[in-house]
Amino acid sequence: MLRVLQIPYEYTVKSFVDGGTKSPNFLDKNPNGQVPLLELEDGQRLAESNAILLYLAELQQKEQKTTTSGGDGDIPFLLPRGDAYQRGLTYQWLFFEQYSHEPAVAVRRANIVFERPCPEDRMQQLLEKGHSALTVMEKQLSQTPFLVGNEMTIADMALFAYTHVAHEGEYDMKLYPNIEGWLQRVR
Ligand SMILES: N[C@@H](CCC(=O)N[C@@H](CS)C(=O)NCC(=O)O)C(=O)O
């Protein structure tokens, strides 16, 4: 999001694999011990990926840096501006990401990629829950090019994150042709 909005930033890796997210220094910054964490120049901090996306999307609107005109180099507003219902739909997908998608797709993928031990029946549950979430996305994306309609929003950014690596969690993405097309558009 920072790169898309052309906001200069420094990126620091804190790995949960080697305990970096649970170090006393990091816990001082985010007591919840998780990445991502956004640190602003004035020292203020913000955790939770979707809170960060919303904050930056509001910043984009406040600073009016970009326009929706679609000209070269323009970036559409990533949080719908005029229409409260469209904004509501954006929030709907952000909450869906946190409750229905990430806890299955990201967790199953992490168990496989980072070789975390997990009982087989739990892995099966994660597979089924993840497929349910992907099916919901597939249905929407068979109707509209982006999750909230014709324009890309932060809902697409939030859900791109773990959907584009869902195959690493052994989700068969061939089942979801509309998601595949959407991944290309968001990319
Ligand atoms: N709800 C949070 C979840 C963040 C999260 O799960 N972060 C993981 C890595 S993807 C983490 O930092 N885990 C370290 C830990 O729990 O120790 C968000 O969307 O930002």
Side-chain angles (χ1 to χ4, degrees), residues 43-109:
Q44 293 192 102
R45 301 186 186 103
L46 198 56
E48 292 294 333
S49 55
N50 290 343
I52 292 170
L53 288 176
L54 281 163
Y55 168 74
L56 292 172
E58 282 198 27
L59 212 64
Q60 180 194 21
Q61 294 186 359
K62 230 176 263 159
E63 299 193 354
Q64 297 274 319
K65 268 192 186 163
T66 52
T67 73
T68 49
S69 67
D72 274 358
D74 287 345
I75 306 157
F77 286 108
L78 291 160
L79 181 63
R81 281 197 307 173
D83 187 331
Y85 178 65
Q86 294 288 109
R87 235 175 1 263
L89 287 177
T90 312
Y91 302 146
Q92 172 192 290
W93 285 108
L94 295 178
F95 285 105
F96 166 86
E97 189 270 337
Q98 288 284 298
Y99 191 78
S100 301
H101 187 287
E102 192 270 356
V105 176
V107 170
R108 188 178 152 89
R109 170 191 173 260

Side-chain angles (χ1 to χ4, degrees), residues 50 91-108 122 125-137 158-159 162-163 166 171 176:
N50 290 343
Y91 302 146
Q92 172 192 290
W93 285 108
L94 295 178
F95 285 105
F96 166 86
E97 189 270 337
Q98 288 284 298
Y99 191 78
S100 301
H101 187 287
E102 192 270 356
V105 176
V107 170
R108 188 178 152 89
R122 174 74 183 133
Q125 281 172 1
L126 293 172
L127 188 67
E128 285 164 23
K129 185 175 158 94
H131 273 303
S132 299
L134 292 166
T135 302
V136 172
M137 290 176 67
L159 277 150
Y162 283 114
T163 304
Y171 292 95
Y176 308 110

Side-chain angles (χ1 to χ4, degrees), residues 13-30:
V13 175
K14 292 285 170 202
S15 173
F16 65 91
V17 177
D18 65 11
T21 45
K22 296 289 181 274
S23 69
N25 183 38
F26 189 78
L27 287 173
D28 272 350
K29 296 180 174 188
N30 180 10

Side-chain angles (χ1 to χ4, degrees), residues 105-124:
V105 176
V107 170
R108 188 178 152 89
R109 170 191 173 260
N111 289 346
I112 292 170
V113 171
F114 302 113
E115 297 178 359
R116 295 195 304 212
C118 182
E120 194 43 51
D121 60 342
R122 174 74 183 133
M123 286 299 275
Q124 185 58 32

